[in-house]
Amino acid sequence: MKLDGKVALVTGAASGIGHGIAKRFVEAGGRVTIADLKADVSAQAARELGDKKTAIGVGMDVSKEDEVNAGVEQTVKAFGRIDILVSNAGIQIVHPIEDFPFAEWKKMLAIHLDGAFLTTKACVKHFYPQKSGVFLYMGSVHSHEASPLKAAYVTAKHGLLGLSRVMAKEGAAHGVRANLICPGFVKTPLVEKQIPEQAKELGISEERVVKEIMLAETVDKEFTTVDDVADVALFLAAFKTNALTGQSLIVSHGWFME
Ligand code: NAD
């Protein structure tokens, strides 16, 4: 699978899954914008992938419309076009519903859902006139399945399934495709942070959180890897027809089967 100079903006790409996807896109001949909260951290992450003709970094809080619009425009200015959006930035906050602070609920929905909406809207402006474009949204097994303590995350990830399907339908007339990638647990900083938090909330050991909650239903008791997810993202980004649009691809070592 080759990207042949195609330009991707990947949000939340200074770390974890987003960074892995950006790296894989560059290896496949693509050019990338790393969009993450801090401009200097994004720039450093971009330098790890190549020179300025291949990768740039921008500071972008995906929940802020002006920052999103500016980051998309910086991408077009640097590379002359934009072809792929990977809406990936995300955080995790876990609480039982009765203790879930409203401000934290709103923060979760703002990053996952407002972020996907705003980046989509900013890219559509470029995708529609050029009659091509790819939206990849970072969902989760939690776009299809629920877990205790994750009311905001599960709600947001289910919401992305809806947005992705709408974009597949609205985008089709403009040559635009949209798909959702749904990973199982990947050992990134986001998950490393959850293990002790869940152990505390549930009153069990960290080892039991991993074995009995995170990996219990996988077929091989393995974490999904950043490489697993990056391979799927490249496959969907480079796929040439509408045969794959409006789909949700679960990448979870068999944890969840549709
Ligand atoms: P991560 O913490 O390693 O990376 C997330 C990145 O998003 C960080 O660099 C962070 O700075 C950035 N970010 C946070 N808020 C932002 C904002 N408002 N604007 C821009 N950037 C912001 O986490 P990860 O595990 O790589 O997660 C990436 C995505 O994958 C998330 O959407 C997450 O929900 C999803 N996901 C992760 C897993 C997993 O097990 N790790 C599983 C399924 C889905």
Side-chain angles (χ1 to χ4, degrees):
M1 287 282 180
K2 284 276 163 217
L3 289 179
D4 297 330
K6 289 227 163 76
V7 176
L9 183 144
V10 188
T11 67
S15 169
I17 293 172
H19 195 255
I21 291 174
K23 182 165 178 281
R24 185 59 43 88
F25 282 7
V26 168
E27 288 163 358
R31 295 174 288 166
V32 296
T33 295
I34 304 270
D36 210 297
L37 284 171
K38 294 195 173 130
D40 56 336
V41 178
S42 299
Q44 176 54 36
R47 277 194 293 275
E48 287 165 25
L49 302 185
D51 64 19
K52 282 189 175 149
K53 287 185 187 144
T54 311
I56 63 162
V58 300
M60 179 194 289
D61 179 339
V62 294
S63 65
K64 301 207 168 115
E65 187 169 17
D66 53 343
E67 294 186 23
V68 168
N69 290 342
V72 170
E73 293 318 312
Q74 268 177 274
T75 300
V76 174
K77 198 169 165 217
F79 298 122
R81 56 186 297 117
I82 182 164
D83 302 287
I84 302 159
L85 169 72
V86 184
S87 170
N88 165 80
I91 62 166
Q92 178 61 282
I93 301 176
V94 295
H95 295 293
I97 192 90
E98 62 274 24
D99 299 329
F100 219 116
F102 188 33
E104 292 188 11
W105 165 271
K106 284 199 276 200
K107 183 176 179 186
M108 285 291 285
L109 299 198
I111 294 173
H112 291 270
L113 292 180
D114 296 358
F117 165 74
L118 291 171
T119 48
T120 297
K121 196 171 170 202
C123 286
V124 148
K125 231 177 85 189
H126 298 280
F127 288 180
Y128 284 7
Q130 75 196 14
K131 291 260 163 228
S132 69
V134 171
F135 288 116
L136 296 179
Y137 299 97
M138 196 52 62
S140 161
V141 163
H142 286 111
S143 300
H144 298 272
E145 176 67 287
S147 292
L149 311 178
K150 295 189 174 172
Y153 191 79
V154 170
T155 301
K157 291 302 189 190
H158 275 65
L160 289 175
L161 182 61
L163 178 64
S164 176
R165 287 173 170 170
V166 169
M167 288 318 300
K169 292 198 172 183
E170 285 194 18
H174 307 275
V176 168
R177 291 181 284 114
N179 288 293
L180 185 74
I181 302 174
C182 298
F185 283 101
V186 184
K187 247 189 166 191
T188 63
L190 181 138
V191 160
E192 301 274 11
K193 175 174 161 278
Q194 269 180 72
I195 298 171
E197 282 176 2
Q198 290 221 10
K200 194 167 161 233
E201 290 280 1
L202 299 169
I204 60 175
S205 69
E206 293 186 18
E207 202 186 7
R208 283 185 65 196
V209 169
V210 171
K211 260 186 151 160
E212 295 171 24
I213 297 177
M214 294 185 166
L215 304 182
E217 303 295 330
T218 61
V219 296
D220 53 9
K221 307 295 172 234
E222 297 277 345
F223 276 98
T224 301
T225 65
V226 168
D227 280 343
D228 290 333
V229 183
D231 285 341
V232 169
L234 175 59
F235 173 72
L236 289 172
F239 200 80
K240 292 209 179 333
T241 75
N242 283 338
L244 282 178
T245 194
Q247 302 307 301
S248 134
L249 204 57
I250 297 160
V251 192
S252 71
H253 287 238
W255 163 17
F256 187 83
M257 299 188 191
E258 261 190 330

